[in-house]
Amino acid sequence: MAFTPDFDSHPIEATITSAVPLAGWVEVVWSDGRASRFHHIWLRDNCPCEQCVHPVTREQMFEIISVPADLRPQRVWVDEEGSLAIAWPAVSDVPAHESHIHPGWLRRHAYDDASRQERSLEPVTWDASTMPEPPTFDGRAIMEDDDALYEWLVALRTWGVSVVQNVPCEVDAIADLVARIGIVRETNFGVLWDVRSEPDPISNANTSLALPPHVDLPTREYQPGLQFLHCIVNETEGGENILVDGFRIAERIRAISPADYAILTTVPFQWANRSATSDYRWDAPIIVTNADGSLREVRVGNWLRAPLDVPFGVVEAAYAAYRRLFELTRADDLQLRFRLQPGEVMAFDNRRALHARGAFTDMSGRRFLRGCYSERDELMSRLRMIERERRACREAGAVSATRRQ
Amino acid sequence: MAFTPDFDSHPIEATITSAVPLAGWVEVVWSDGRASRFHHIWLRDNCPCEQCVHPVTREQMFEIISVPADLRPQRVWVDEEGSLAIAWPAVSDVPAHESHIHPGWLRRHAYDDASRQERSLEPVTWDASTMPEPPTFDGRAIMEDDDALYEWLVALRTWGVSVVQNVPCEVDAIADLVARIGIVRETNFGVLWDVRSEPDPISNANTSLALPPHVDLPTREYQPGLQFLHCIVNETEGGENILVDGFRIAERIRAISPADYAILTTVPFQWANRSATSDYRWDAPIIVTNADGSLREVRVGNWLRAPLDVPFGVVEAAYAAYRRLFELTRADDLQLRFRLQPGEVMAFDNRRALHARGAFTDMSGRRFLRGCYSERDELMSRLRMIERERRACREAGAVSATRRQ
C-alpha cells in the first residue's frame, strides 16, 4: 500500500471507484457515491514518495516551485492496491515522476464541501439554564484510561469547562493530571502556582476579595489556552466558583448590538500587569474572531486593563461597548455557580470561559488552590493521538480479520 | 504626590498649565504647549485612589459600571502637588468621589494624536543590502550590564535578528543568556534542544539536509516569538546560516501583487508536525496583520505544511500566492548570509525572521547547536523594566537635586 506522509493509519472507509483527469483537476468518485475533486497541483504537492517526503521524518522535501504551476498529469489510474496513481510528464528540465496516493489518506484530506463540513468542529455555547452544573469526570479513570481521558477532553473542547473529581489533595497532583494532556505552560507565576489569601499579595487573586469574571493573563500576547485549578483545602465561608461562557456573551452582544460587537472585535483594548518585577502589556480586541467570523477568544479581566489608549474619537464608543460586555459578565442567567470541593480540579478554556470567585471570609491558610496553565493545541494534539491509536487498532483488526479469512 | 496605579516612576516632563472641563472631556494644556483631551469617563476609570486601586497589588477594584456612563465632574483643578484633581458629584446611589491624577502618569497615558504617535514603535524591515551582516553584541557585557542588555534587545525588537558573541561553549550557557530576558518556552522539543545530524532524526533539522527558510513550530497556534541558536561546535563544511526578513517579503508582495497579499493575509493555510508522539496542527494565514494593517507575524515552513484544506474555488489562487512567497524566500537580494561560529548565539524573532541552513558535509557530532525559545512579550517586559529602573534613577536624582537646593 502506498506510503503516507505522516505517522497515522488511514483505514479505508471508501474505495476509489473512478478517477478522471479533467482540465485543472482529477475527479475522484468514491464507493459511497461521494465525488471529490483534487487540483493537479495539489496532487503533485502531496506526492508521498520517498523522493518527495523524507522517509524517516515524514517531512516534505519536494518544493512546489520545482514544478510548473500548470503541471498536468500524463495518465491517472487506480493502481492494484487501490491507490490513486498519477504519471507526471517530464517538462523542460523537470523529470517525469509518478505518485501513488493512499485512498484512506486521500479521503481524509478531500476538500470537497461535504468532506470539509464533516471535519468541522464547532464549540457549543451555554448559559446557566443549559449548563446547570459543569460536566464532571473521574480523575482516577482519566489517569489510567485513554478512553476516559478522551471523553474529558472532548467535553473541554466542546464546552470550554469541566470539573475533574478524585484528584489527590497533594501539591503536585495537578501536574500529573496535566501531563496526561501535554506540556505545562510556565509563566511569571511559575510552573505551578498557589491561590491563597496572603498578607502581601502580588495579585488580587491572592486576597479574599471577590474576583469578577476574567481570564488569566490577558496581559500576555498569548493568553494561556487552558487553566487548571485544583482545590486542596476549602474551609472558608464564601469563595463560590462562577464560570461564564465568554463565547455566549459574544454571541449575545452580536445579536443585540452589532455596533458594540464591531467595536469589541476590532478596537484593541490595553492590558498591563501590575508588578514590581515584570511589565507585560498587550493590546488586543476583547473578542477575536477567525477568518470565517467564528469565535477564537475573549480577553476579559477588569483589573488588568491598562488605561484605554485609542484614538480620541473612538473613546466613547469603546467605553459604551465595554460597559455592555461588563454587564453581561454579571448577568445571572449566564453564570454557572458551584463550589469546588477539595480533590476537585476546575479545568477550563482560559480564552473562552471567564472564571470568577465570590469574596470569602479570610481565615488565612484555610483556602488553598493550586493552579497551572497549558495550551489548547496540547489538548488537540492529545485527542488526535488517541484517535490515531484507535485508527491503528481498527486497521490492525481489519488486517487480522482479512488474514483469518 | 498622587499615587499611581502601577509600580513605575513617572518623572514630570511637563507640568499641567491648565485643565478645563468641557462637555464630554477635560482639556489639559501642558507646560510645553501640548494639549491633551481626556474624556470624563476615562478620568473616572483611571482614578488611582486607594478605594479604586488596591494599594498593594495596584490592581483596579473600581468597576466602570458602578458609575453612570454620562458622569461629569463637578469641579476640575490642579492641586497643590501639580496633579489633575477632579471632584465627582454624588449621583443617585453613587457617592461623591475625588480623584487626583499624577501629572507624569497622565502625560505618559495621554491619547491625543501627538502622544500616541510618540509611543508607537515600528519594526524596520531590511534586505541583504541594508543588512549585510547581523547586528552583533557581546555576551559577556549582556550578562553583567543592563545597558548592554538593553541595546541588544532594542536591536532584536527593531530588526528581528541579532548575533551574540562570547557565549561560553557549554550546553546550558544559552539558558543563562535567555534568563536575562525572561522565561524559556518549553515545547515538545523540550526546554533546551539540540540540533545535530542524527541517524534516526525526528525532524529534517536533525539531518544534514539544507533547510529552506522557515520559522520554527508553524504547527502551533502560538508560534514561539523568539528563537536562540547557540553554536557550540561547527567543524563541518557547508551549513551556512541564512536569515530573511519575512516582513520585507510581505511588504514586497503587498507592493507587487495586492491580490496575492490579500490571499496570504486572509486564507488559512494548514500546518502539521509529523511525529509518532504528538500531532500539532494549526490553520492560519501565512501573513498576519494587526488591526491597523501593520505586520504581526509570518508563518512559513514548507516541510511542515499540511495538505491544503480550503474551499475548492480558492485552491488555485492559494497555490499561486504561495509560489510567489516561496520564490521570495529564495531571492538572493533578501538573504543575509553568514556562518555562525562556536561561542555565538543567533537570536531572532521567530515569527518574523525566516532562518535557513545550507546543506553540510555530514560528519556526525561535529556540528552541534543548542536552541531554545522564548516570547516577544518577555523581551518587551524586560525592556520596560530597564526603562522603569532608569526612570526611577532619574526621579531619585531629581529628588536629591531638589533636596540639595
Side-chain angles (χ1 to χ4, degrees):
Chain A
M1 185 57 75
F3 189 76
T4 61
D6 54 32
F7 290 86
D8 208 343
S9 307
H10 300 279
I12 297 166
E13 316 287 355
T15 56
I16 301 176
T17 307
S18 70
V20 180
L22 300 171
W25 53 81
V26 173
E27 178 156 303
V28 168
V29 178
W30 303 93
S31 54
D32 61 356
R34 181 172 296 175
S36 306
R37 294 176 296 177
F38 298 93
H39 290 82
H40 300 324
I41 194 74
W42 189 97
L43 291 168
R44 181 63 192 85
D45 191 24
N46 288 292
C47 176
C49 84
E50 296 205 359
Q51 283 158 48
C52 292
V53 174
H54 192 289
V56 177
T57 65
R58 314 274 172 115
E59 292 172 353
Q60 192 182 38
M61 295 181 293
F62 170 76
E63 298 184 345
I64 195 74
I65 55 171
S66 68
V67 299
D70 60 355
L71 185 71
R72 300 184 52 169
Q74 197 159 39
R75 192 162 80 86
V76 171
W77 71 103
V78 180
D79 71 16
E80 64 281 7
E81 290 183 317
S83 293
L84 177 66
I86 306 135
W88 305 102
V91 185
S92 58
D93 60 340
V94 182
H97 194 80
E98 201 171 292
S99 302
H100 293 263
I101 302 183
H102 185 289
W105 183 94
L106 188 66
R107 172 72 176 221
R108 275 183 65 200
H109 293 87
Y111 51 93
D112 56 276
D113 291 345
S115 298
R116 280 170 53 78
Q117 184 57 39
E118 222 169 58
R119 288 195 293 269
S120 79
L121 293 168
E122 287 295 325
V124 183
T125 65
W126 48 267
D127 60 25
S129 64
T130 60
M131 180 79 76
E133 49 192 45
T136 299
F137 301 86
D138 177 28
R140 284 173 303 211
I142 287 169
M143 291 306 294
E144 286 160 18
D145 174 13
D146 276 1
D147 288 337
L149 174 63
Y150 189 82
E151 211 185 321
W152 171 41
L153 297 185
V154 167
L156 185 47
R157 182 185 67 192
T158 306
W159 306 102
V161 291
S162 67
V163 165
V164 178
Q165 297 176 319
N166 301 317
V167 178
C169 288
E170 293 156 15
V171 290
D172 288 343
I174 196 170
D176 298 333
L177 181 71
V178 177
R180 288 287 283 156
I181 305 175
I183 291 164
V184 170
R185 157 112 173 248
E186 182 178 357
T187 67
N188 50 315
F189 296 155
V191 176
L192 303 182
W193 34 265
D194 298 341
V195 184
R196 63 169 114 211
S197 179
E198 290 172 0
D200 193 19
I202 57 159
S203 157
N204 287 357
N206 295 338
T207 65
S208 58
L209 291 170
L211 292 177
H214 66 287
V215 305
D216 272 21
L217 300 183
T219 56
R220 302 293 307 265
E221 175 172 14
Y222 291 162
Q223 304 182 105
L226 300 176
Q227 181 171 168
F228 303 86
L229 278 173
H230 182 197
C231 179
I232 296 177
V233 182
N234 192 3
E235 295 167 2
T236 57
E237 284 174 38
E240 186 186 30
N241 299 97
I242 300 163
L243 287 165
V244 179
D245 187 354
F247 285 5
R248 176 60 72 97
I249 291 178
E251 287 175 351
R252 198 174 277 190
I253 295 173
R254 186 168 52 195
I256 59 183
S257 174
D260 284 339
Y261 190 75
I263 291 282
L264 294 171
T265 51
T266 58
V267 172
F269 281 65
Q270 284 67 43
W271 313 88
N273 74 330
R274 307 302 195 287
S275 165
T277 56
S278 64
D279 194 336
Y280 296 104
R281 296 170 190 233
W282 195 247
D283 289 12
I286 288 180
I287 302 170
V288 177
T289 57
N290 297 309
D292 63 359
S294 60
L295 292 161
R296 182 187 300 173
E297 69 175 14
V298 296
R299 193 177 288 257
V300 175
N302 193 58
W303 68 91
L304 294 169
R305 269 191 314 130
L308 189 66
D309 183 10
V310 299
F312 183 83
V314 178
V315 171
E316 284 180 24
Y319 268 108
Y322 185 67
R323 289 177 75 98
R324 187 183 296 279
L325 174 109
F326 203 114
E327 278 158 8
L328 285 174
T329 66
R330 305 304 171 85
D332 277 342
D333 68 326
L334 293 182
Q335 297 199 338
L336 167 59
R337 291 169 169 271
F338 59 104
R339 187 182 160 90
L340 205 61
Q341 301 297 332
E344 291 185 336
V345 169
M346 233 171 100
F348 54 97
D349 183 328
N350 182 63
R351 294 160 60 201
R352 170 183 173 184
L354 313 182
H355 62 298
R357 172 187 78 197
F360 58 91
T361 311
D362 193 359
M363 297 174 286
S364 193
R366 304 195 57 195
R367 185 178 190 273
F368 175 37
L369 280 74
R370 189 106 160 131
C372 68
Y373 304 117
S374 184
E375 298 301 348
R376 281 179 179 170
D377 59 2
E378 297 284 351
L379 179 154
M380 296 299 293
S381 172
R382 179 57 53 211
L383 282 176
R384 288 188 201 102
M385 289 305 296
I386 298 172
E387 288 166 1
R388 198 192 279 189
E389 203 164 309
R390 289 177 178 179
R391 272 191 294 274
C393 289
R394 204 155 80 233
E395 197 171 59
V399 169
S400 68
T402 311
R403 283 193 189 134
R404 277 198 302 274
Q405 284 171 357
Chain B
M1 185 57 76
F3 190 75
T4 61
D6 54 31
F7 289 86
D8 208 343
S9 307
H10 300 279
I12 297 166
E13 316 287 355
T15 55
I16 301 177
T17 306
S18 70
V20 179
L22 300 171
W25 53 82
V26 173
E27 179 156 302
V28 168
V29 178
W30 303 93
S31 54
D32 62 355
R34 182 172 296 174
S36 307
R37 293 176 296 176
F38 298 93
H39 289 82
H40 300 324
I41 194 73
W42 189 97
L43 291 168
R44 181 64 191 85
D45 192 24
N46 288 292
C47 176
C49 84
E50 296 205 359
Q51 281 158 49
C52 292
V53 173
H54 192 289
V56 177
T57 65
R58 314 274 172 115
E59 291 172 354
Q60 193 182 38
M61 296 182 294
F62 170 76
E63 298 184 345
I64 195 75
I65 55 171
S66 67
V67 298
D70 59 356
L71 186 70
R72 298 183 55 169
Q74 196 160 37
R75 191 161 81 86
V76 171
W77 71 103
V78 180
D79 71 15
E80 65 280 7
E81 291 183 317
S83 292
L84 178 66
I86 305 137
W88 305 101
V91 185
S92 58
D93 60 339
V94 182
H97 194 80
E98 200 171 294
S99 302
H100 293 263
I101 303 182
H102 185 290
W105 183 94
L106 188 66
R107 172 71 176 222
R108 276 182 64 200
H109 294 87
Y111 51 93
D112 56 276
D113 290 346
S115 298
R116 280 170 53 79
Q117 184 56 39
E118 221 169 58
R119 288 194 293 269
S120 80
L121 293 168
E122 287 295 325
V124 183
T125 66
W126 49 266
D127 61 26
S129 65
T130 60
M131 180 79 76
E133 51 192 43
T136 299
F137 300 86
D138 177 27
R140 284 174 302 213
I142 287 169
M143 291 306 294
E144 286 160 18
D145 175 13
D146 276 1
D147 289 336
L149 174 63
Y150 189 83
E151 209 185 324
W152 171 40
L153 297 185
V154 166
L156 185 48
R157 181 184 69 191
T158 306
W159 306 100
V161 291
S162 67
V163 165
V164 178
Q165 297 176 319
N166 301 317
V167 178
C169 288
E170 293 156 16
V171 290
D172 288 341
I174 196 170
D176 298 332
L177 181 70
V178 177
R180 288 288 283 156
I181 304 176
I183 291 163
V184 169
R185 156 111 174 249
E186 183 178 357
T187 68
N188 50 315
F189 296 156
V191 177
L192 303 183
W193 34 265
D194 299 340
V195 183
R196 61 170 113 211
S197 180
E198 289 172 0
D200 193 19
I202 58 157
S203 156
N204 287 355
N206 295 339
T207 65
S208 58
L209 291 170
L211 292 177
H214 66 287
V215 305
D216 272 21
L217 301 184
T219 56
R220 300 296 305 266
E221 175 173 13
Y222 291 163
Q223 304 181 107
L226 300 177
Q227 181 171 168
F228 303 86
L229 278 172
H230 183 197
C231 179
I232 296 177
V233 183
N234 193 2
E235 295 167 2
T236 57
E237 285 173 38
E240 186 185 32
N241 299 97
I242 299 163
L243 286 165
V244 180
D245 187 353
F247 285 5
R248 176 60 72 98
I249 291 177
E251 287 175 351
R252 198 175 279 190
I253 295 173
R254 185 168 52 193
I256 59 183
S257 174
D260 285 338
Y261 190 75
I263 292 281
L264 294 171
T265 51
T266 58
V267 173
F269 281 66
Q270 284 67 42
W271 313 89
N273 74 330
R274 306 304 196 286
S275 165
T277 55
S278 65
D279 194 336
Y280 295 104
R281 296 170 189 232
W282 196 246
D283 289 12
I286 288 179
I287 301 170
V288 177
T289 57
N290 297 308
D292 63 359
S294 60
L295 292 161
R296 182 187 303 172
E297 69 174 14
V298 296
R299 194 177 287 258
V300 176
N302 193 57
W303 67 92
L304 294 170
R305 268 191 315 130
L308 189 66
D309 184 10
V310 300
F312 184 83
V314 178
V315 171
E316 285 180 22
Y319 269 109
Y322 185 68
R323 289 176 75 98
R324 187 182 296 277
L325 174 110
F326 203 114
E327 278 158 7
L328 285 174
T329 66
R330 307 304 171 84
D332 277 341
D333 67 327
L334 293 182
Q335 296 199 338
L336 167 60
R337 291 169 169 271
F338 60 103
R339 188 182 160 88
L340 206 60
Q341 301 298 332
E344 291 185 337
V345 169
M346 234 170 99
F348 54 96
D349 183 328
N350 182 63
R351 294 160 61 201
R352 169 182 174 185
L354 313 181
H355 63 296
R357 172 186 79 197
F360 58 91
T361 312
D362 193 359
M363 297 174 285
S364 193
R366 303 196 56 198
R367 184 178 190 273
F368 175 38
L369 280 74
R370 190 105 159 131
C372 68
Y373 303 117
S374 184
E375 299 301 348
R376 283 179 178 169
D377 58 4
E378 298 284 351
L379 180 155
M380 296 298 293
S381 172
R382 179 56 53 211
L383 282 176
R384 288 188 201 104
M385 288 306 295
I386 298 172
E387 288 165 1
R388 197 192 280 190
E389 203 164 309
R390 289 176 179 179
R391 271 190 295 273
C393 289
R394 205 155 78 234
E395 198 171 58
V399 170
S400 69
T402 310
R403 283 195 188 131
R404 277 199 302 273
Q405 285 173 355

